[in-house]
Amino acid sequence: MTAFVTGDLRVFIGVTLVLGGLASFASGRAVARAWRPLWLLPLYGLLLALAMRFLHWALFQESLAPLPALAAYGWSLAAQGVAWLLARRAMMRRQYPWQYP
């Protein structure tokens, strides 16, 4: 597992999974609350994944390998998708209560 994350596992969990996941969840929720389309999530997810990998490189001297960047991108897309779905569902229930009991 250490070869995959190319560094300390605790750093990967802290920066990518926790910090990046919370930022991705917030961005997915923001996109949904602004009634923006779903296709914006991959663009924002890419920017967040690059920011996560930059933090790994700048703060912890880890390499900028492509495989951990893809894992960060996948995690970002998953967190954004869940947040977008939950926020959009809540907004639709609030906007159209007769259609969504």
Side-chain angles (χ1 to χ4, degrees):
M1 184 70 176
T2 309
F4 173 72
V5 278
T6 65
D8 190 9
L9 183 61
R10 295 172 297 177
V11 172
F12 182 78
I13 290 171
V15 174
T16 300
L17 298 184
V18 175
L19 189 63
L22 290 173
S24 298
F25 193 87
S27 88
R29 186 170 179 239
V31 168
R33 290 181 131 213
W35 292 97
R36 301 283 185 233
L38 188 64
W39 63 265
L40 283 174
L41 294 184
L43 174 66
Y44 294 147
L46 180 64
L47 294 174
L48 285 167
L50 291 174
M52 285 183 262
R53 290 311 301 168
F54 175 76
L55 288 176
H56 278 274
W57 175 75
L59 298 177
F60 304 104
Q61 290 79 37
E62 294 184 4
S63 69
L64 294 173
L67 198 55
L70 285 175
Y73 183 59
W75 175 247
S76 179
L77 286 180
Q80 283 181 324
V82 167
W84 188 88
L85 183 65
L86 292 175
R88 182 60 62 101
R89 185 181 299 160
M91 290 169 50
M92 293 295 277
R93 281 194 180 127
R94 203 172 28 245
Q95 184 84 19
Y96 307 107
W98 65 89
Q99 194 171 9
Y100 298 97

